[in-house]
Amino acid sequence: MATATVGRIAARRWFGWLGALGVLLLTLAWAFSKGQFPVSLSDAGSTLYARLFGLPTPLSPAADIVFWHIRLPRVIAGALVGATLAATGAIYQAIFRNPLVSPDILGVSSGAGLGASLGLFFGLPIVMIQFLAFAGGMGAVAIVCIVAMAVRRHDPVLVLVLAGMAVGTLLGAGISLLKVLADPYTQLPSMTFWLLGGLNAMSVDQLMSAIPAIVIGVIPMFLLRWRINVLSAGDEEAQALGVNVKYLRWMLVASATLATAAVVSISGIIGWVGLVVPHAARLLVGPVFERLLPVSMLLGAAYVVAADTLARTVTTMELPLGILTAIVGAPCLLWLLARSGKESG
């Protein structure tokens, strides 16, 4: 009986891995083929092969430009953004031992939003807007961490959460003030669309500018994923097992913040990915973090790519990506909570 149960659990985990990978591959194929210039899977494969070996492309000149300079960077960026947000969401939920925590819990999204809004308000070029968004997100979390280190009489996790809420609210007020002062015909629409998130202006240069920070942030998460399970048992138990809890927590906070700030600087604020996707991954492979992290990244990549494909194809006017992720994410979270409640009962 016990052997059969273990076998079923192992089979479920393998099914979760393969299912997440299959969903991502199907979503990528769908995203590459859909758009104003439809590209079949065979044509996409042929043009990739042709470009790799210097052969003539089977696509028309217009379709070739769209595929290489617009669609390919956008799909890759969507996968990268989704995987990073899902990974940081899983990290934060483990650090704070709270399944309702998302990557913006420490104010990184609010800081990035204020930085980008300042750039748009002063009419700066896109490179400077990205830089201000990145710097704003990192600066917000730095303030939160300084407050948490200064207040030592309380639980550090609780102090981080409360400080993040306070700083995020303050920065949100700054964003609202800039909206009031902005030109309603030029600046305000740009701020609004950036804050709602989107990949419509994605380019190869923007994507390449964010990849180094994302990689630097994600690598420590993978290297430390074997120790993250210990944090869920509590600080005292983790210390008894030989884990330097303080060092581990701050290292993960720094890594997750760096990765989150990097993706938010190029995509705007895209909510619900880091909150919902880790819950779905837990249903597939369980709570063990060395399996949860990569499956969350696969599902997160598929989620954002699918939402972005719908955003640019469902109507003649492109929809902000943050709206679609919220429309899909909120019902999914309610369903996941209801299902987990039934299983625990």
Side-chain angles (χ1 to χ4, degrees), residues 113-125 128-129 132 178 191:
L114 181 60
S117 298
L118 282 171
L120 294 168
F121 183 80
F122 290 108
L124 300 179
M128 287 303 300
I129 293 173
L132 288 175
L178 287 176
M191 292 181 187

Side-chain angles (χ1 to χ4, degrees), residues 144-172:
V144 171
C145 293
I146 290 172
V147 172
M149 288 187 289
V151 180
R152 299 181 178 180
R153 296 183 179 180
H154 301 282
D155 181 8
V157 174
L158 178 61
V159 174
L160 276 173
V161 173
L162 294 178
M165 293 174 59
V167 172
T169 301
L170 182 61
L171 297 175

Side-chain angles (χ1 to χ4, degrees), residues 85-255:
L85 291 177
T88 55
I91 289 287
Y92 279 129
Q93 289 173 11
I95 292 174
F96 298 112
R97 300 190 291 273
N98 188 335
L100 298 179
V101 166
S102 61
D104 58 354
I105 187 66
L106 299 183
V108 61
S109 296
S110 299
L114 181 60
S117 298
L118 282 171
L120 294 168
F121 183 80
F122 290 108
L124 300 179
I126 185 64
V127 176
M128 287 303 300
I129 293 173
Q130 283 184 252
F131 173 76
L132 288 175
F134 179 79
M138 296 296 293
V141 178
I143 295 173
V144 171
C145 293
I146 290 172
V147 172
M149 288 187 289
V151 180
R152 299 181 178 180
R153 296 183 179 180
H154 301 282
D155 181 8
V157 174
L158 178 61
V159 174
L160 276 173
V161 173
L162 294 178
M165 293 174 59
V167 172
T169 301
L170 182 61
L171 297 175
I175 295 173
S176 299
L177 178 61
L178 287 176
K179 286 183 176 181
V180 172
L181 299 175
D183 188 315
Y185 299 103
T186 56
Q187 297 170 331
L188 183 59
S190 299
M191 292 181 187
T192 302
F193 274 94
W194 193 95
L195 293 170
L196 289 174
L199 301 172
N200 54 307
M202 187 58 57
S203 65
V204 176
D205 293 338
Q206 288 178 294
L207 183 60
M208 295 305 295
S209 67
I211 286 179
I214 294 173
V215 172
I216 293 173
V218 171
I219 285 178
M221 300 183 200
F222 260 89
L223 296 179
L224 297 172
R225 70 188 187 277
W226 305 97
R227 299 186 179 184
I228 295 176
N229 289 317
V230 184
L231 291 178
S232 61
D235 291 359
E236 295 182 358
E237 289 79 0
Q239 290 175 353
L241 293 173
V243 175
N244 189 332
V245 175
K246 185 177 180 180
Y247 169 79
L248 179 60
R249 180 177 289 120
W250 286 115
M251 175 64 72
L252 292 173
V253 166
S255 300

Side-chain angles (χ1 to χ4, degrees), residues 305-333:
V305 170
D308 182 61
T309 305
L310 289 174
R312 61 183 171 85
T313 59
V314 70
T315 65
T316 56
M317 180 185 72
E318 183 164 333
L319 298 175
L321 184 54
I323 293 177
L324 284 179
T325 56
I327 290 175
V328 176
C332 286
L333 179 62

